Structure formats: C-alpha cells, structure tokens
Amino acid sequence: QVQLVESGGGLVQAGGSLRLSCAASGLFFSNYEVGWFRQAPGKERDLVAGISWNSGRTYYGDSVKGRFTISRDNAKNTGYLQMNSLKPEDTAAYYCAAGGWKTFEHQYNYWGQGTQVTVSS
C-alpha cells in the first residue's frame, strides 16, 4: 500500500520559514517525480514545485520562485519543501504527490493527506 505522509506544517509569521517533509512508503520512491501542491479555501489545487526522480530537474510556480526550494533524499524515501520568506498568501493546505516513472511531466498517481500552513501578517 502506497503512503505519502506530510509533516512540518504549522503557524508562522510573515517572513518566516518552514520545511515540509513527505515520507513515502510502498513504492519505488527513487523512480518517481515528486510534487508539492497547495490548496487554499475556495481555490483550486495548484502545483507549487516538482522534482524529477534523480533531482536533475525542478519546477517552481511563479509565485514561489526564489523563496521555496524542493529537494529529495532517495535514500530516506523522503521529499522536502523548504519555504522561506513566507507570505500570508502562502496560507493553504500543502500536499505532496508522486508519479511518473522516471519522467518529469507533472502527472501524479499518489497523494498525501496534506499539512496545513498558516502565515500570519
């Protein structure tokens, strides 16, 4: 059974930082693209960042470029999202996802349950 478990969310003041983690089990994690999505109330779920199976390629949404960094540790079956210079508009539920066997096409098959990030002004 595939499981993706996010952690690291919480409440932070504007300008602060958080690091989200995504612990994976039940799949060959090192062969899959990993993505981080977020969804605010009343809005669509958007792709924030993605990283290829071998960390050779990354993607960032325009709103987070220069502030967020995606990474992964395949030996630990874990993905990360370092979020710096947080803004109130970053407030959302954040989800990690995995998919795409050795591709980088942002097509995800597996999803975590989400972790809440709240940024106060």
Side-chain angles (χ1 to χ4, degrees):
Q1 181 182 359
V2 175
Q3 280 193 313
L4 301 176
V5 180
E6 300 97 334
S7 60
L11 174 65
V12 64
Q13 288 188 332
S17 298
L18 284 174
R19 188 174 83 152
L20 305 183
S21 298
C22 173
S25 61
L27 78 168
F28 289 104
F29 177 79
S30 61
N31 289 329
Y32 286 96
E33 176 182 344
V34 171
W36 286 94
F37 288 75
R38 68 185 181 188
Q39 187 170 22
K43 295 189 177 181
E44 294 185 352
R45 186 176 296 190
D46 292 326
L47 177 62
V48 172
I51 187 167
S52 62
W53 61 280
N54 62 354
S55 301
R57 299 178 67 182
T58 57
Y59 163 86
Y60 294 97
D62 288 341
S63 62
V64 306
K65 283 180 182 177
R67 299 189 298 123
F68 291 11
T69 303
I70 190 170
S71 62
R72 64 191 298 161
D73 184 339
N74 286 343
K76 295 182 178 179
N77 285 353
T78 302
Y80 304 98
L81 185 68
Q82 177 68 43
M83 305 186 295
N84 298 330
S85 302
L86 283 162
K87 304 175 181 180
E89 50 263 44
D90 294 318
T91 295
Y94 283 72
Y95 300 86
C96 82
W101 183 274
K102 293 189 176 181
T103 62
F104 192 60
E105 298 175 350
H106 313 324
Q107 301 294 317
Y108 300 99
N109 307 106
Y110 309 107
W111 293 85
Q113 83 289 348
T115 186
Q116 179 67 34
V117 171
T118 302
V119 184
S120 63
S121 58

